[in-house]
Amino acid sequence: LQRKAKALSKACARLDGSGTGLLSASELGAVLQLFGVCQSQEELKSVFSTLHTHSSGLLDYRPLLMDKHRTSSQSKQQLSQRSQ
């Protein structure tokens, strides 16, 4: 899960060459589908509805990556607690 989050972050950063944290819906959708985060248009719409849309019409993908990182950190923490 953590590797997938890192790869997703790298892919978004590559598409966001200027480092603004913004991507078009089609760019972000392609990345999310490529990494298996979203399988359908309905899932994409649901994810997009949670993200801030910039005045340019681009989506701020950074909160999505933070949620992914937090989720993978929580999973790792839960696993270590179970093994104790």
Side-chain angles (χ1 to χ4, degrees):
L1 195 62
Q2 191 173 15
R3 273 189 259 154
K4 187 181 255 189
K6 284 183 182 181
L8 181 62
S9 179
K10 284 182 182 181
C12 287
R14 283 188 179 147
L15 287 173
D16 178 19
S18 60
T20 61
L22 303 171
L23 291 176
S24 70
S26 62
E27 290 171 326
L28 185 56
V31 170
L32 293 176
Q33 288 181 322
L34 178 68
F35 286 94
V37 175
C38 295
Q39 300 298 322
S40 68
Q41 291 298 318
E42 291 78 27
E43 288 177 319
L44 284 174
K45 287 178 186 177
S46 176
V47 169
F48 291 169
S49 71
T50 66
L51 300 175
H52 174 73
T53 303
H54 190 264
S55 60
S56 64
L58 300 176
L59 297 166
D60 184 349
Y61 64 86
R62 293 170 294 187
L64 179 64
L65 298 180
M66 285 186 256
D67 286 345
K68 287 287 176 199
H69 177 69
R70 185 169 41 245
T71 301
S72 70
S73 295
Q74 288 171 345
S75 297
K76 190 176 179 180
Q77 196 173 36
Q78 288 171 349
L79 287 174
S80 69
Q81 288 172 350
R82 288 180 188 163
S83 65
Q84 294 175 354

Coordinates of all heavy atoms in Angstrom, one line a residue:
L1 N 0.8 -1.2 0.0 CA 0.0 0.0 0.0 C 0.9 1.3 0.0 O 0.6 2.2 -0.7 CB -0.9 0.0 1.2 CG -2.1 0.9 1.2 CD1 -3.0 0.7 0.1 CD2 -2.8 0.8 2.5
Q2 N 1.9 1.2 0.8 CA 2.8 2.4 0.9 C 3.5 2.6 -0.5 O 3.7 3.7 -0.9 CB 3.8 2.3 2.0 CG 4.5 3.5 2.3 CD 5.4 3.4 3.5 OE1 5.6 2.3 4.0 NE2 5.9 4.5 4.0
R3 N 4.0 1.5 -1.1 CA 4.6 1.7 -2.4 C 3.7 2.2 -3.5 O 4.1 3.0 -4.3 CB 5.1 0.3 -2.9 CG 6.5 0.0 -2.4 CD 7.1 -1.2 -3.1 NE 6.9 -2.3 -2.1 CZ 6.8 -3.6 -2.4 NH1 6.8 -3.9 -3.7 NH2 6.6 -4.5 -1.5
K4 N 2.4 1.8 -3.4 CA 1.4 2.3 -4.4 C 1.2 3.8 -4.1 O 1.1 4.6 -5.1 CB 0.1 1.6 -4.2 CG -0.9 1.9 -5.2 CD -2.2 1.2 -5.0 CE -2.3 0.1 -6.0 NZ -3.6 -0.5 -6.0
A5 N 1.2 4.3 -2.9 CA 1.0 5.7 -2.6 C 2.2 6.5 -3.1 O 2.0 7.6 -3.6 CB 0.8 5.9 -1.1
K6 N 3.4 6.0 -2.9 CA 4.6 6.7 -3.4 C 4.6 6.8 -4.9 O 4.9 7.8 -5.5 CB 5.9 6.0 -2.9 CG 6.2 6.2 -1.5 CD 7.5 5.6 -1.1 CE 7.8 5.8 0.4 NZ 9.1 5.2 0.8
A7 N 4.2 5.7 -5.6 CA 4.2 5.7 -7.0 C 3.1 6.6 -7.5 O 3.3 7.3 -8.5 CB 3.9 4.2 -7.5
L8 N 2.0 6.7 -6.9 CA 0.9 7.6 -7.2 C 1.4 9.0 -7.1 O 1.2 9.9 -8.0 CB -0.3 7.3 -6.4 CG -1.6 8.2 -6.6 CD1 -2.1 8.0 -8.0 CD2 -2.6 7.8 -5.6
S9 N 2.1 9.3 -6.0 CA 2.6 10.6 -5.8 C 3.6 11.0 -6.8 O 3.6 12.2 -7.3 CB 3.3 10.7 -4.4 OG 3.8 11.9 -4.1
K10 N 4.5 10.1 -7.2 CA 5.5 10.4 -8.3 C 4.8 10.7 -9.6 O 5.2 11.6 -10.3 CB 6.5 9.3 -8.4 CG 7.5 9.2 -7.3 CD 8.5 8.1 -7.5 CE 9.5 8.0 -6.4 NZ 10.5 6.9 -6.7
A11 N 3.8 9.9 -9.9 CA 3.1 10.0 -11.2 C 2.4 11.4 -11.3 O 2.5 12.1 -12.3 CB 2.1 8.9 -11.4
C12 N 1.8 11.8 -10.2 CA 1.1 13.1 -10.1 C 2.2 14.2 -10.3 O 2.0 15.2 -11.0 CB 0.3 13.3 -8.9 SG -1.2 12.3 -8.8
A13 N 3.3 14.1 -9.6 CA 4.3 15.1 -9.6 C 4.9 15.2 -11.0 O 5.2 16.3 -11.5 CB 5.4 14.8 -8.6
R14 N 5.0 14.1 -11.7 CA 5.5 14.2 -13.1 C 4.6 14.9 -14.0 O 5.0 15.7 -14.9 CB 5.8 12.8 -13.6 CG 7.1 12.2 -13.1 CD 7.4 10.9 -13.7 NE 8.7 10.4 -13.2 CZ 9.0 9.1 -13.0 NH1 8.1 8.2 -13.4 NH2 10.1 8.8 -12.5
L15 N 3.3 14.7 -13.9 CA 2.3 15.3 -14.7 C 2.2 16.8 -14.3 O 1.9 17.7 -15.2 CB 0.9 14.7 -14.5 CG 0.8 13.3 -15.2 CD1 -0.6 12.7 -14.8 CD2 0.9 13.5 -16.7
D16 N 2.5 17.1 -13.1 CA 2.4 18.5 -12.6 C 3.8 19.1 -12.6 O 4.5 19.3 -11.6 CB 1.9 18.5 -11.1 CG 1.8 19.9 -10.5 OD1 1.9 20.9 -11.2 OD2 1.8 19.9 -9.3
G17 N 4.3 19.3 -13.8 CA 5.7 19.8 -14.0 C 6.0 21.1 -13.3 O 7.1 21.4 -12.9
S18 N 5.0 22.0 -13.1 CA 5.2 23.3 -12.5 C 5.1 23.2 -11.0 O 5.4 24.2 -10.3 CB 4.2 24.3 -13.0 OG 2.9 23.9 -12.7
G19 N 4.7 22.1 -10.4 CA 4.7 21.9 -9.0 C 3.5 22.7 -8.3 O 3.6 23.0 -7.1
T20 N 2.5 22.9 -9.0 CA 1.4 23.7 -8.5 C 0.5 22.9 -7.6 O -0.3 23.4 -6.8 CB 0.5 24.3 -9.6 OG1 0.0 23.2 -10.4 CG2 1.3 25.3 -10.4
G21 N 0.5 21.5 -7.7 CA -0.4 20.7 -7.0 C -1.7 20.5 -7.7 O -2.7 20.0 -7.2
L22 N -1.8 21.0 -9.0 CA -3.0 20.9 -9.8 C -2.9 20.1 -11.0 O -1.9 20.1 -11.7 CB -3.4 22.4 -10.2 CG -3.6 23.4 -9.0 CD1 -3.7 24.8 -9.6 CD2 -4.7 23.0 -8.1
L23 N -3.9 19.3 -11.3 CA -4.0 18.5 -12.5 C -5.4 18.6 -13.1 O -6.3 18.8 -12.4 CB -3.7 17.0 -12.2 CG -2.3 16.7 -11.8 CD1 -2.2 15.2 -11.4 CD2 -1.3 17.0 -12.9
S24 N -5.5 18.4 -14.4 CA -6.8 18.3 -15.0 C -7.5 17.0 -14.6 O -6.9 16.1 -14.1 CB -6.7 18.3 -16.5 OG -6.1 17.1 -17.0
A25 N -8.8 17.0 -14.7 CA -9.6 15.8 -14.3 C -9.2 14.6 -15.1 O -9.1 13.5 -14.6 CB -11.1 16.1 -14.5
S26 N -8.9 14.8 -16.4 CA -8.5 13.7 -17.2 C -7.1 13.2 -16.8 O -6.9 11.9 -16.8 CB -8.5 14.1 -18.7 OG -7.6 15.1 -19.0
E27 N -6.2 14.0 -16.5 CA -4.8 13.6 -16.1 C -5.0 12.8 -14.7 O -4.4 11.7 -14.6 CB -3.9 14.8 -15.9 CG -3.5 15.5 -17.1 CD -2.7 16.8 -16.9 OE1 -3.0 17.5 -15.9 OE2 -1.8 17.0 -17.7
L28 N -5.6 13.4 -13.8 CA -5.8 12.8 -12.5 C -6.6 11.5 -12.6 O -6.2 10.4 -12.0 CB -6.4 13.7 -11.5 CG -6.5 13.2 -10.0 CD1 -5.2 12.8 -9.5 CD2 -7.2 14.3 -9.2
G29 N -7.6 11.5 -13.4 CA -8.4 10.3 -13.6 C -7.6 9.1 -14.2 O -7.7 8.0 -13.8
A30 N -6.7 9.5 -15.2 CA -5.9 8.4 -15.8 C -4.9 7.8 -14.8 O -4.7 6.6 -14.7 CB -5.1 9.0 -16.9
V31 N -4.3 8.7 -13.9 CA -3.4 8.2 -12.9 C -4.1 7.3 -11.9 O -3.7 6.2 -11.5 CB -2.7 9.4 -12.2 CG1 -1.9 8.9 -11.0 CG2 -1.8 10.1 -13.1
L32 N -5.3 7.7 -11.4 CA -6.0 7.0 -10.4 C -6.5 5.6 -11.0 O -6.5 4.6 -10.3 CB -7.2 7.8 -9.9 CG -6.9 9.0 -9.1 CD1 -8.2 9.8 -8.8 CD2 -6.1 8.7 -7.9
Q33 N -6.9 5.6 -12.2 CA -7.3 4.3 -12.9 C -6.0 3.4 -13.1 O -6.1 2.2 -12.9 CB -8.0 4.6 -14.1 CG -9.4 5.1 -13.9 CD -10.2 5.4 -15.1 OE1 -9.7 5.8 -16.1 NE2 -11.5 5.1 -15.0
L34 N -4.9 4.0 -13.5 CA -3.7 3.3 -13.8 C -3.3 2.5 -12.5 O -2.8 1.4 -12.6 CB -2.6 4.2 -14.3 CG -1.3 3.5 -14.5 CD1 -1.3 2.6 -15.7 CD2 -0.2 4.6 -14.8
F35 N -3.4 3.2 -11.4 CA -2.9 2.6 -10.1 C -4.0 1.9 -9.4 O -3.8 1.4 -8.2 CB -2.3 3.7 -9.2 CG -1.0 4.2 -9.7 CD1 -0.8 5.3 -10.5 CD2 0.2 3.5 -9.3 CE1 0.4 5.7 -10.9 CE2 1.4 3.8 -9.7 CZ 1.5 5.0 -10.6
G36 N -5.2 1.7 -10.0 CA -6.2 0.9 -9.4 C -6.9 1.5 -8.3 O -7.6 0.9 -7.5
V37 N -6.8 2.9 -8.1 CA -7.5 3.6 -7.0 C -9.0 3.7 -7.4 O -9.8 3.5 -6.5 CB -6.9 4.9 -6.8 CG1 -7.6 5.7 -5.7 CG2 -5.4 4.8 -6.4
C38 N -9.3 4.0 -8.6 CA -10.7 4.1 -9.1 C -10.8 3.2 -10.3 O -10.0 3.2 -11.2 CB -11.0 5.5 -9.5 SG -10.9 6.7 -8.1
Q39 N -11.9 2.4 -10.3 CA -12.2 1.5 -11.4 C -13.3 2.0 -12.3 O -13.3 1.5 -13.4 CB -12.6 0.1 -10.8 CG -11.5 -0.5 -9.9 CD -10.2 -0.8 -10.6 OE1 -10.2 -1.2 -11.8 NE2 -9.1 -0.6 -10.0
S40 N -14.1 2.9 -11.8 CA -15.2 3.3 -12.7 C -15.3 4.8 -12.7 O -14.7 5.5 -11.9 CB -16.5 2.7 -12.1 OG -16.8 3.3 -10.8
Q41 N -16.1 5.3 -13.6 CA -16.4 6.8 -13.7 C -17.1 7.3 -12.4 O -16.8 8.4 -12.0 CB -17.2 7.1 -14.9 CG -16.5 6.9 -16.2 CD -15.3 7.8 -16.4 OE1 -15.3 9.0 -16.0 NE2 -14.2 7.2 -16.8
E42 N -17.9 6.4 -11.8 CA -18.6 6.8 -10.6 C -17.6 7.0 -9.5 O -17.8 8.0 -8.7 CB -19.7 5.8 -10.2 CG -20.9 5.7 -11.1 CD -20.6 4.9 -12.4 OE1 -19.7 4.0 -12.4 OE2 -21.2 5.2 -13.4
E43 N -16.7 6.1 -9.4 CA -15.6 6.3 -8.3 C -14.8 7.6 -8.6 O -14.5 8.3 -7.6 CB -14.7 5.1 -8.3 CG -15.4 3.8 -7.7 CD -14.5 2.6 -7.8 OE1 -13.7 2.4 -8.8 OE2 -14.5 1.9 -6.8
L44 N -14.5 7.8 -9.8 CA -13.7 9.0 -10.1 C -14.5 10.3 -9.7 O -14.0 11.2 -9.1 CB -13.4 9.1 -11.6 CG -12.3 8.2 -12.1 CD1 -12.2 8.3 -13.6 CD2 -10.9 8.6 -11.5
K45 N -15.8 10.3 -10.1 CA -16.6 11.4 -9.7 C -16.7 11.6 -8.2 O -16.6 12.8 -7.7 CB -18.0 11.3 -10.3 CG -18.1 11.5 -11.8 CD -19.5 11.2 -12.3 CE -19.6 11.3 -13.8 NZ -20.9 11.0 -14.3
S46 N -16.8 10.5 -7.5 CA -16.8 10.6 -6.0 C -15.5 11.2 -5.5 O -15.5 12.1 -4.6 CB -17.0 9.2 -5.5 OG -17.0 9.3 -4.1
V47 N -14.4 10.8 -6.0 CA -13.1 11.3 -5.6 C -13.0 12.8 -5.9 O -12.6 13.6 -5.1 CB -11.9 10.5 -6.1 CG1 -10.6 11.2 -5.9 CG2 -11.9 9.1 -5.5
F48 N -13.3 13.1 -7.2 CA -13.2 14.5 -7.6 C -14.1 15.4 -6.8 O -13.7 16.6 -6.6 CB -13.6 14.6 -9.1 CG -12.6 13.9 -10.1 CD1 -13.0 13.8 -11.4 CD2 -11.4 13.5 -9.7 CE1 -12.1 13.2 -12.3 CE2 -10.5 12.9 -10.5 CZ -10.8 12.7 -11.9
S49 N -15.2 14.9 -6.4 CA -16.1 15.8 -5.6 C -15.5 16.2 -4.2 O -15.9 17.2 -3.6 CB -17.5 15.1 -5.4 OG -17.4 14.0 -4.5
T50 N -14.5 15.4 -3.8 CA -13.9 15.7 -2.5 C -12.7 16.7 -2.6 O -12.2 17.2 -1.6 CB -13.4 14.4 -1.8 OG1 -12.4 13.9 -2.5 CG2 -14.6 13.5 -1.6
L51 N -12.3 16.9 -3.8 CA -11.1 17.7 -4.1 C -11.5 19.2 -4.4 O -12.5 19.4 -5.0 CB -10.2 17.2 -5.2 CG -9.7 15.7 -5.0 CD1 -9.0 15.2 -6.2 CD2 -8.8 15.7 -3.8
H52 N -10.6 20.1 -4.0 CA -10.8 21.5 -4.3 C -10.6 21.7 -5.8 O -9.6 21.3 -6.4 CB -9.9 22.4 -3.5 CG -9.9 23.8 -3.9 ND1 -11.0 24.6 -3.5 CD2 -9.0 24.6 -4.5 CE1 -10.8 25.8 -4.0 NE2 -9.6 25.9 -4.6
T53 N -11.5 22.4 -6.5 CA -11.3 22.8 -7.9 C -10.8 24.2 -7.9 O -11.4 25.2 -7.4 CB -12.6 22.7 -8.6 OG1 -13.1 21.3 -8.5 CG2 -12.4 23.0 -10.1
H54 N -9.7 24.4 -8.5 CA -9.0 25.7 -8.7 C -9.8 26.6 -9.7 O -10.6 26.0 -10.5 CB -7.6 25.5 -9.2 CG -6.8 26.8 -9.1 ND1 -6.6 27.6 -10.2 CD2 -6.1 27.3 -8.1 CE1 -5.8 28.6 -9.9 NE2 -5.4 28.4 -8.6
S55 N -9.7 27.9 -9.7 CA -10.4 28.7 -10.6 C -10.1 28.4 -12.1 O -10.9 28.7 -12.9 CB -10.1 30.2 -10.3 OG -8.7 30.4 -10.5
S56 N -9.0 27.8 -12.3 CA -8.6 27.4 -13.7 C -9.3 26.1 -14.1 O -9.2 25.7 -15.3 CB -7.1 27.2 -13.8 OG -6.7 26.1 -12.9
G57 N -10.1 25.5 -13.2 CA -10.7 24.2 -13.5 C -9.9 23.0 -13.2 O -10.4 21.9 -13.4
L58 N -8.7 23.2 -12.7 CA -7.8 22.1 -12.4 C -8.1 21.6 -10.9 O -8.6 22.4 -10.1 CB -6.4 22.5 -12.5 CG -5.9 22.9 -13.9 CD1 -4.5 23.4 -13.9 CD2 -6.1 21.8 -14.9
L59 N -7.8 20.4 -10.7 CA -8.1 19.8 -9.3 C -6.8 19.8 -8.5 O -5.7 19.5 -9.0 CB -8.6 18.4 -9.5 CG -9.9 18.2 -10.2 CD1 -10.1 16.7 -10.6 CD2 -11.0 18.7 -9.3
D60 N -6.9 20.1 -7.2 CA -5.8 20.0 -6.3 C -5.7 18.6 -5.8 O -6.5 18.2 -5.0 CB -6.1 21.0 -5.1 CG -4.9 21.1 -4.2 OD1 -4.0 20.2 -4.3 OD2 -4.9 22.0 -3.3
Y61 N -4.7 17.9 -6.3 CA -4.6 16.5 -5.9 C -3.9 16.2 -4.6 O -3.9 15.1 -4.1 CB -3.9 15.7 -7.1 CG -2.4 16.1 -7.3 CD1 -1.4 15.6 -6.5 CD2 -2.1 17.1 -8.2 CE1 -0.1 16.0 -6.7 CE2 -0.8 17.5 -8.4 CZ 0.2 17.0 -7.7 OH 1.5 17.4 -7.9
R62 N -3.3 17.2 -4.0 CA -2.4 17.0 -2.8 C -3.2 16.4 -1.6 O -2.7 15.5 -1.0 CB -1.8 18.3 -2.4 CG -0.7 18.7 -3.5 CD -0.2 20.1 -3.2 NE -1.3 21.0 -3.4 CZ -1.2 22.3 -3.4 NH1 0.0 22.9 -3.2 NH2 -2.2 23.1 -3.7
P63 N -4.5 16.8 -1.4 CA -5.2 16.2 -0.2 C -5.4 14.7 -0.5 O -5.4 13.9 0.5 CB -6.5 16.9 -0.2 CG -6.2 18.3 -0.8 CD -5.2 18.0 -1.9
L64 N -5.6 14.3 -1.7 CA -5.7 12.9 -2.0 C -4.5 12.1 -1.6 O -4.5 11.0 -1.1 CB -6.0 12.7 -3.5 CG -6.2 11.3 -4.0 CD1 -7.4 10.7 -3.4 CD2 -6.4 11.3 -5.5
L65 N -3.3 12.7 -1.9 CA -2.1 12.0 -1.6 C -1.8 11.9 -0.1 O -1.3 11.0 0.4 CB -0.9 12.7 -2.3 CG -0.9 12.7 -3.8 CD1 0.3 13.4 -4.4 CD2 -1.0 11.3 -4.4
M66 N -2.2 13.0 0.6 CA -2.1 13.0 2.0 C -3.0 11.9 2.7 O -2.6 11.2 3.6 CB -2.4 14.4 2.6 CG -1.4 15.4 2.4 SD -1.7 16.9 3.2 CE -2.3 17.9 1.8
D67 N -4.2 11.8 2.1 CA -5.1 10.7 2.6 C -4.5 9.3 2.4 O -4.6 8.5 3.2 CB -6.5 10.8 2.0 CG -7.3 12.0 2.5 OD1 -6.9 12.5 3.6 OD2 -8.3 12.3 1.9
K68 N -3.9 9.2 1.2 CA -3.3 7.9 0.9 C -2.1 7.6 1.8 O -2.0 6.5 2.3 CB -2.8 7.9 -0.6 CG -3.8 7.8 -1.6 CD -4.4 6.4 -1.6 CE -5.5 6.3 -2.5 NZ -6.3 5.1 -2.2
H69 N -1.3 8.6 2.1 CA -0.2 8.4 3.0 C -0.7 8.1 4.4 O -0.2 7.2 5.1 CB 0.7 9.7 3.0 CG 1.9 9.5 4.0 ND1 2.9 8.7 3.8 CD2 2.1 10.1 5.1 CE1 3.7 8.7 4.8 NE2 3.3 9.6 5.6
R70 N -1.7 8.8 4.9 CA -2.2 8.6 6.2 C -2.8 7.2 6.3 O -2.6 6.5 7.3 CB -3.3 9.7 6.5 CG -3.8 9.6 7.9 CD -4.6 10.7 8.4 NE -5.6 11.2 7.4 CZ -5.5 12.4 6.8 NH1 -4.6 13.3 7.1 NH2 -6.4 12.8 6.0
T71 N -3.5 6.8 5.3 CA -4.1 5.4 5.3 C -3.0 4.4 5.3 O -3.1 3.4 6.1 CB -4.9 5.2 4.0 OG1 -6.0 6.2 4.0 CG2 -5.6 3.9 4.0
S72 N -1.9 4.5 4.6 CA -0.9 3.5 4.6 C -0.1 3.5 5.9 O 0.3 2.5 6.4 CB 0.1 3.7 3.4 OG 0.9 4.8 3.6
S73 N 0.1 4.7 6.5 CA 0.7 4.8 7.8 C -0.2 4.1 8.9 O 0.3 3.4 9.7 CB 0.9 6.2 8.2 OG 1.8 6.8 7.3
Q74 N -1.5 4.3 8.8 CA -2.4 3.7 9.8 C -2.4 2.2 9.6 O -2.3 1.5 10.6 CB -3.8 4.3 9.6 CG -4.0 5.7 10.1 CD -5.3 6.3 9.7 OE1 -6.0 5.7 8.8 NE2 -5.7 7.4 10.3
S75 N -2.3 1.7 8.4 CA -2.3 0.3 8.2 C -1.0 -0.3 8.7 O -1.1 -1.4 9.4 CB -2.4 0.0 6.7 OG -3.6 0.4 6.2
K76 N 0.1 0.3 8.5 CA 1.4 -0.2 9.0 C 1.3 -0.2 10.5 O 1.8 -1.2 11.1 CB 2.5 0.7 8.5 CG 3.9 0.2 8.7 CD 4.9 1.2 8.1 CE 6.3 0.7 8.3 NZ 7.2 1.6 7.7
Q77 N 0.8 0.8 11.1 CA 0.7 0.9 12.6 C -0.2 -0.2 13.1 O 0.2 -0.9 14.1 CB 0.2 2.3 13.0 CG 0.4 2.7 14.4 CD 0.0 4.1 14.6 OE1 -1.0 4.6 14.1 NE2 0.7 4.8 15.5
Q78 N -1.3 -0.5 12.5 CA -2.2 -1.5 12.9 C -1.5 -2.9 12.8 O -1.7 -3.7 13.7 CB -3.5 -1.5 12.1 CG -4.4 -0.3 12.4 CD -5.6 -0.2 11.5 OE1 -5.6 -0.9 10.4 NE2 -6.5 0.6 11.8
L79 N -0.8 -3.1 11.8 CA -0.1 -4.4 11.6 C 0.9 -4.6 12.7 O 1.1 -5.7 13.3 CB 0.6 -4.5 10.3 CG -0.3 -4.7 9.1 CD1 0.4 -4.6 7.8 CD2 -1.1 -6.0 9.2
S80 N 1.7 -3.5 13.1 CA 2.7 -3.7 14.1 C 2.0 -3.9 15.5 O 2.5 -4.7 16.3 CB 3.6 -2.5 14.2 OG 2.9 -1.3 14.6
Q81 N 0.9 -3.3 15.7 CA 0.2 -3.5 17.0 C -0.4 -5.0 17.1 O -0.3 -5.6 18.1 CB -1.0 -2.5 17.1 CG -0.6 -1.1 17.4 CD -1.7 -0.1 17.3 OE1 -2.8 -0.5 16.9 NE2 -1.4 1.1 17.8
R82 N -0.8 -5.5 16.0 CA -1.3 -6.9 16.0 C -0.2 -7.9 16.3 O -0.5 -8.9 16.8 CB -2.0 -7.2 14.6 CG -3.3 -6.5 14.4 CD -3.9 -6.9 13.1 NE -5.0 -6.1 12.8 CZ -5.6 -5.9 11.6 NH1 -5.1 -6.5 10.6 NH2 -6.6 -5.1 11.5
S83 N 1.0 -7.6 15.8 CA 2.1 -8.6 16.0 C 2.7 -8.5 17.4 O 3.5 -9.4 17.7 CB 3.2 -8.3 14.9 OG 3.8 -7.0 15.2
Q84 N 2.3 -7.6 18.2 CA 2.8 -7.5 19.5 C 2.0 -8.3 20.5 O 1.0 -8.7 20.5 CB 2.8 -6.0 20.0 CG 3.8 -5.2 19.2 CD 3.7 -3.7 19.6 OE1 2.8 -3.3 20.4 NE2 4.5 -2.9 19.1

